[in-house]
Each structure stands twice: as structure tokens, then as C-alpha cells.
Amino acid sequence: MLQDILSPYKSKLSGHTELRLQRNISRGVNVVAGNITTNSSAEVTGLSARVYKGGYWGFASAAERDAAAVDNVLSAAARNAEFLTSRLGTPKPELKALPGGKLSTKAKYNDAEQKTLIDFAREVDAYIVKKYPKLSARYVNSRSDAIEKVLITSDGADVYALIPRSHIVCTLSVEADDGTIIDYYDKIGGAGFWSDQFTSPEKLFGKIDGFYEILMKKREGVYTDAGVRDVIIDSELAGILAHEAIGHTTEADLVLGGSVAGPNLGKQVASEIISLVDFANTYDGSECPQPIYVDDEGTIAKDAVIIENGILKSLMHNRESAAHFGHEPTGNARAYSFSDEPLIRMRNTAILPGNDKLADMIASIEDGYYLTQTGNGQADLTSEFMFGVNMGYEIKNGKLGKAI
């Protein structure tokens, strides 16, 4: 657990000042065809301070973690803000004071040993090669990551946050009759420490069998036809569509940079059955995969309703952008590492569920595709996007056909 060296400064911060202590932990083991090719463990920890003066931010960071380092980053951030104010013109209004968010995450860092990650990866790989010896290649990755933060601000924010994630990732490959190599990639796990997700390798074997079954369907599948088709995208693809094509364009700093969303605020941008929300921390009574209760400016995080019944209603904001647009801050200021300034970025962006049933949707299509899984994607500020599709099925006469 991070040692809290910031508390003595709670009563000393003035103006608008943010002081953050952060640790990023990343561990991973790769097993390729039975051989450990990666066994890594990394930890990056440090301090940062950010000061707002005259409409400009001053930022400073340091890898040291003692009282002298805190004093140094605070004074450096203040000097940087004063320098920018003196060089960049007429001062702008100060930020509106807001109640600082309070958070004390109950969980403490207590993850599995590196040997556990190694043993899991080896045992999963051994199961795969024993049960499915005809695979042409196999890859198993076990990984555990965590971000731990202590944050105080001049507005009274007082935060200890810890967000861990753990995964087992598998890629299975097989040779088709024509010599083509067919791959299937999937993962198990999610939010939580390793012990929250995985208790024994044997409990993963059923999932691995499911991966193999899908791979075999893909091996016997068909190639897609070029042209325009009706397509159903499963929730995973709908999520990356929401993230790439819409989410990034509605981050207010990117709107100020010329995003296509700016001129479309208040206009219809989607079907009236579509609503899209960037959730702060919970949905339908359950905690989201990336729960943010207080952001890295100390703002209490709120859901940002981006699209409501097809209308582009709002944006994701930090304090400064909210003041510019005359909106309420949503708590979207996020920093990945201690040496990063907080940027306006998504948390848990999703299209809300509707009333239609998947079976009815499939039945309504004569000739199309049902796409189920994706790789990473990207988009630009015009909302043009791309993402890879790793798995799907053809739809013929209202019924699922072969894998593609």
C-alpha cells in the first residue's frame, strides 16, 4: 500500500492546487508453445502537483516520495503556472470552487505472487496441448495490473483509490484444409485482484474448451462477401463503436480541438432508440469495470449522458471545459501515470440496452452478418473509425449460418 505522505499538506494548499501520489503496477507472464517467453513485473511510483493561476495550469512531477519532493513539485508547479500566465496573455477567470470528493477504497493491495501467474499460465498451456494436440500454435498470457492513487486538493478532496484488473488471455491457432492458419483470441477475467478472479487453473478449463469449439467453427467457416450488408453487432462491438466513433469525439478537450461533435450539440445524431452514457462508477446496481468515484482533479464523478433518444445532449468534462461550455463538470479528468496531467477521457462508455431481442433481430435479416468479437480500434475527430472483427457468423434467411 502507498504510504500517505500527503496528509500533512491538506491545510497548506492554496488557490486551486492538486497533489497526487500514484503507483502503477503491471505484471505479466507469456507462455508460447510451452516456453515462458516473458516474465515481467514493473512498478512506477511518483508524485505530481498541478496549480491553476490566471487561467493557466502549471504542472510538475517527481519520482521521489518524501517531504522534500512534495515541496519541490508544489513550488515548481506554481512557478510554471506563473510563467505561463506571464507569457500567454490576459488572465482568464479562476476555476469555480467545488466540494472536493471523498473516497477511501476499502481494498488494500494484496495480489498473488509472480509464481502464481507463472503456474497458472503453465497449467492452462499444459491442458491445451494435452487435450488439443493438433493445434498449430498456442499462446497463454496471465497478467495482473493495478493503479493506486492518493489525491488531495485545495477544495478539500481526499482520495485513496485502488483499481486492480486480472486476466488470462489465450490465442489458439489451427491449420485449415487449404493451409490457411486460423486464429481465435479470447480472455477470461476483469476487474479485481488475481484471487478475486482465479482460484485454480482447473476452473478455467471449461472456458478453454469453449474457445476451442469456436475456433473449430471458424476453421470450417466461410469468407465474407464484399458489399453492403445488414449487420448485427454484439455488445462487445457496440462497446468499441461507442468508445471509438462517439466517445472520443465527445471528450470536451477534443471538441475544443475541432471534433465533429461540437457543431452537432443538441442535434439528432443517431436513431431515436439510441441512448449512450459514459457511466462514472455504477450501472443497474453493479459497479462498472473502471469505477471512478472522484476524478484526478478531485471532482465528484457523475454519469455523462452523451446521447439521449438520438439527440447529442452533452459532453464529457473536466472543470475547465465545463466552465467554458456552461455545463456541470462530470469528473472525467484522468491521468494514467503520476507524470501525466489529467486529460478528459472516458470511463465506462456504453449504449444502453433497448427492448429488442437478439433472436428477433436475427430473424429480421435475410442476408447479413452477426459480428461478435473485436480487436482494438481507433477513430479520428471526424468520427471516422475502424476496428477489427475477430469472430462472427453469417445470417441467411433469418437464421445463423456458418462462422466467418
Side-chain angles (χ1 to χ4, degrees):
M1 181 177 175
L2 281 174
Q3 181 182 357
D4 180 10
I5 60 173
L6 305 187
S7 290
Y9 293 84
K10 288 178 181 178
S11 61
K12 301 178 181 179
L13 303 183
S14 60
H16 180 92
T17 302
E18 304 158 6
L19 186 58
R20 176 164 43 99
L21 173 65
Q22 182 168 334
R23 175 169 69 150
N24 289 44
I25 301 167
S26 178
R27 301 188 296 138
V29 174
N30 291 341
V31 175
V32 180
N35 300 306
I36 295 179
T37 59
T38 302
N39 180 15
S40 63
S41 179
E43 181 174 324
V44 178
T45 308
L47 289 161
S48 66
R50 201 166 68 139
V51 174
Y52 189 86
K53 287 187 177 182
Y56 299 97
W57 291 103
F59 180 79
S61 65
E64 295 80 14
R65 288 167 282 161
D66 53 30
V70 176
D71 291 333
N72 287 338
V73 295
L74 283 170
S75 60
R79 289 196 306 271
N80 290 338
E82 291 166 357
F83 175 82
L84 291 173
T85 302
S86 70
R87 294 295 194 275
L88 294 178
T90 305
K92 294 181 283 187
E94 293 298 327
L95 291 178
K96 177 184 175 182
L98 294 173
K102 311 286 185 182
L103 177 67
S104 181
T105 302
K106 293 180 180 179
K108 307 302 179 187
Y109 186 82
N110 184 26
D111 210 359
E113 296 179 354
Q114 189 78 4
K115 183 178 183 299
T116 302
L117 273 68
I118 295 171
D119 291 343
F120 262 77
R122 279 178 161 166
E123 290 191 44
V124 169
D125 179 77
Y127 173 80
I128 293 171
V129 71
K130 181 178 180 181
K131 189 163 184 180
Y132 306 112
K134 294 184 179 180
L135 289 173
S136 59
R138 62 191 191 277
Y139 163 91
V140 179
N141 167 258
S142 55
R143 64 177 304 104
S144 181
D145 306 284
I147 296 179
E148 187 178 18
K149 298 180 182 182
V150 177
L151 172 73
I152 62 172
T153 73
S154 52
D155 283 342
D158 191 357
V159 174
Y160 170 70
L162 175 61
I163 301 178
R165 298 198 296 182
S166 304
H167 290 92
I168 291 278
V169 180
C170 294
T171 300
L172 307 180
S173 303
V174 67
E175 185 173 342
D177 292 338
D178 62 0
T180 304
I181 299 299
I182 307 298
D183 298 317
Y184 181 73
Y185 158 94
D186 214 332
K187 58 185 180 295
I188 308 168
F193 289 115
W194 189 269
S195 58
D196 300 326
Q197 295 289 342
F198 310 114
T199 54
S200 69
E202 291 80 8
K203 292 186 177 181
L204 304 177
F205 294 166
K207 290 272 191 180
I208 302 299
D209 292 339
F211 296 169
Y212 180 80
E213 290 175 9
I214 296 174
L215 175 66
M216 290 299 102
K217 290 179 181 178
K218 194 172 178 180
R219 182 182 185 274
E220 304 303 321
V222 296
Y223 289 100
T224 55
D225 295 324
V228 177
R229 293 290 188 278
D230 289 321
V231 170
I232 298 171
I233 59 174
D234 204 52
S235 56
E236 184 174 328
L237 279 87
I240 199 166
L241 177 68
H243 179 99
E244 298 292 356
I246 304 164
H248 281 309
T249 67
T250 56
E251 292 162 338
D253 53 353
L254 298 184
V255 172
L256 292 170
S259 157
V260 67
N264 286 292
L265 266 173
K267 298 180 182 179
Q268 184 170 358
V269 296
S271 162
E272 63 183 15
I273 67 172
I274 295 296
S275 292
L276 185 148
V277 178
D278 180 63
F279 292 100
N281 43 64
T282 55
Y283 169 70
D284 198 24
S286 298
E287 193 168 67
C288 293
Q290 189 76 5
I292 304 297
Y293 292 90
V294 182
D295 77 356
D296 290 329
E297 291 183 337
T299 303
I300 298 170
K302 303 175 183 178
D303 295 345
V305 179
I306 308 302
I307 296 175
E308 186 174 44
N309 301 326
I311 305 298
L312 182 60
K313 299 287 287 189
S314 188
L315 307 172
M316 288 170 269
H317 287 294
N318 63 9
R319 292 191 181 192
E320 192 174 17
S321 71
H324 176 86
F325 285 95
H327 297 168
E328 289 295 317
T330 51
N332 281 88
R334 301 182 59 199
Y336 178 72
S337 175
F338 79 90
S339 56
D340 294 328
E341 288 192 68
L343 301 174
I344 302 169
R345 291 298 176 263
M346 284 171 274
R347 298 156 307 184
N348 307 277
T349 311
I351 297 171
L352 299 188
N355 299 317
D356 296 300
K357 304 300 182 185
L358 177 60
D360 295 335
M361 296 166 70
I362 292 172
S364 72
I365 294 178
E366 290 297 313
D367 184 16
Y369 296 103
Y370 172 42
L371 308 180
T372 61
Q373 289 179 315
T374 178
N376 288 330
Q378 63 186 46
D380 60 26
L381 296 188
T382 69
S383 196
E384 292 191 5
F385 66 92
M386 61 79 61
F387 52 80
V389 177
N390 298 336
M391 190 63 201
Y393 300 85
E394 62 179 1
I395 302 174
K396 295 293 185 182
N397 300 317
K399 295 182 179 180
L400 288 184
K402 288 190 173 184
I404 55 175

